[in-house]
């Protein structure tokens, strides 16, 4: 729910925006002052503020968690975190050889955290995705490379409008071989100068992954009318499709 209160003081208008949703925990109350007759500034600031507050987890609440499937025979698992898991889960799911993707939390110390707890920045967790894939169709190297094109790995503890350690870039390895692959992929991308700055992604041993609430699963495809999806997530997915076109399932090329 959103409540807007307007107070006029001489030549200035103060707009206090209170947003009663999940991002209230992250952002709180913001007050913007600007000239009464400066309509364009009003529109621009309002639009920017609205986008900021309707970030990755606006809209729904509830602690009905998704189930965490076990890998099937011949299936392997990878766990990555790169900003909001809405766009990351969509991007990874579009790759050939990826069977399913679960949004959740990893990298922290609290067992079975809720979104609200992760957003409080007290759990150490990052929004992450667990990818179930067929290694005969897609390699861990290709999967890791795709991950680095699905977000901006040079941004430290934020992605776009989403700020905090829960949005940090982080990859997990389950074997020494996976660690080496991740380090090699990072080195190659840095050397290619694909990004103007160096990658800041954490490379960490895998310990645990906790599935997020059900309403986060498949959110990108189910909520195309969400302004955040249209303005933040969709451009990231479109950019990803362009970078990884050869590795996409036919329907996403």
């Amino acid at each position: 729910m959103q409540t807007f209160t307007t107070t006029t003081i001489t030549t200035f208008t103060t707009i206090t925006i209170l947003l009663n949703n999940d991002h209230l925990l992250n952002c709180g109350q913001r007050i913007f002052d600007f000239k009464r007759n400066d309509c364009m500034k009003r529109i621009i600031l309002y639009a920017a503020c609205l986008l900021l507050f309707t970030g990755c987890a606006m809209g729904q609440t509830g602690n009905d968690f998704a189930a965490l499937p076990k890998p099937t025979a011949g299936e392997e698992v990878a766990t990555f975190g790169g900003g909001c898991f809405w766009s990351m889960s969509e991007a990874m799911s579009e790759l050939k050889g990826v069977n399913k993707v679960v949004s959740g939390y990893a990298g922290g110390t609290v067992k079975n955290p809720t979104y609200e707890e992760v957003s409080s920045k007290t759990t150490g967790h990052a929004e992450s995705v667990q990818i179930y894939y067929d290694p005969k169709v897609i390699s861990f190297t290709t999967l890791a490379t795709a991950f680095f094109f699905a977000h901006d790995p040079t941004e430290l503890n934020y992605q776009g409008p989403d700020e905090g350690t829960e949005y940090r870039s982080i990859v997990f390895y389950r074997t020494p071989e996976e660690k080496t692959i991740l380090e090699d992929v990072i080195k190659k991308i840095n050397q290619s100068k694909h990004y103007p700055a160096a990658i800041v992604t954490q490379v960490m041993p895998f310990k645990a992954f906790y599935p997020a609430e059900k309403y986060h699963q498949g959110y990108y495809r189910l909520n195309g009318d969400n302004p955040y999806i249209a303005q933040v997530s969709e451009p990231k997915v479109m950019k990803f499709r362009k970078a990884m076109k050869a590795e996409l399932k036919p329907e996403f090329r």
Side-chain angles (χ1 to χ4, degrees):
M1 182 183 70
Q2 302 180 0
T3 302
F4 301 92
T5 302
T6 304
T7 304
T8 302
I9 304 177
T10 61
T11 61
F12 288 83
T13 299
T14 300
I15 293 183
T16 303
I17 300 176
L18 303 178
L19 296 167
N20 184 16
N21 58 31
D22 287 343
H23 260 46
L24 181 60
L25 296 172
N26 291 337
C27 300
Q29 178 177 310
R30 298 291 177 88
I31 301 176
F32 291 94
D33 293 327
F34 43 87
K35 293 181 180 179
R36 180 189 303 175
N37 295 324
D38 195 346
C39 295
M40 185 57 70
K41 182 185 287 186
R42 254 204 313 270
I43 292 170
I44 293 173
L45 287 177
Y46 169 74
C49 180
L50 183 60
L51 180 60
L52 172 65
F53 282 103
T54 56
C56 184
M58 57 81 69
Q60 291 178 277
T61 58
N63 296 332
D64 189 7
F65 294 99
L68 186 63
K70 293 182 179 180
T72 59
E75 196 172 53
E76 294 189 9
V77 178
T79 307
F80 304 141
C84 178
F85 43 28
W86 290 350
S87 60
M88 182 60 70
S89 61
E90 174 61 24
M92 294 295 102
S93 70
E94 294 184 1
L95 294 167
K96 292 183 296 185
V98 171
N99 300 326
K100 51 186 171 288
V101 180
V102 178
S103 294
Y105 314 110
T109 58
V110 176
K111 294 182 179 180
N112 301 308
T114 64
Y115 170 77
E116 290 78 13
E117 288 173 333
V118 173
S119 298
S120 72
K121 310 183 194 310
T122 60
T123 67
H125 286 296
E127 289 194 13
S128 305
V129 295
Q130 186 138 295
I131 306 155
Y132 296 75
Y133 68 100
D134 183 349
K136 294 181 180 179
V137 179
I138 185 171
S139 67
F140 184 80
T141 300
T142 300
L143 203 61
T145 301
F147 163 77
F148 286 107
F149 291 137
H151 72 303
D152 186 344
T154 70
E155 295 179 338
L156 182 62
N157 296 332
Y158 78 97
Q159 284 289 310
D162 299 315
E163 297 186 4
T165 54
E166 68 269 34
Y167 299 113
R168 69 188 183 275
S169 180
I170 185 169
V171 288
F172 300 93
Y173 59 87
R174 289 171 167 79
T175 66
E177 291 75 20
E178 288 186 350
K179 181 182 180 182
T180 299
I181 289 172
L182 291 169
E183 292 173 340
D184 287 346
V185 169
I186 291 173
K187 182 179 180 180
K188 288 179 181 178
I189 295 177
N190 278 335
Q191 291 176 339
S192 74
K193 302 297 182 181
H194 179 82
Y195 294 104
I199 290 174
V200 296
T201 304
Q202 291 181 308
V203 179
M204 303 293 292
F206 177 80
K207 292 183 179 179
F209 175 86
Y210 302 100
E213 294 81 350
K214 287 182 178 179
Y215 71 86
H216 285 300
Q217 311 303 324
Y219 195 97
Y220 180 93
R221 298 187 193 183
L222 298 174
N223 296 273
D225 58 345
N226 182 324
Y228 180 92
I229 294 295
Q231 299 300 321
V232 180
S233 301
E234 187 173 351
K236 291 170 69 174
V237 173
M238 295 303 107
K239 184 178 180 180
F240 171 81
R241 288 179 180 176
K242 185 177 180 179
M244 298 300 298
K245 184 176 181 179
E247 301 300 331
L248 296 176
K249 295 169 182 172
E251 61 267 33
F252 300 113
R253 292 177 185 172

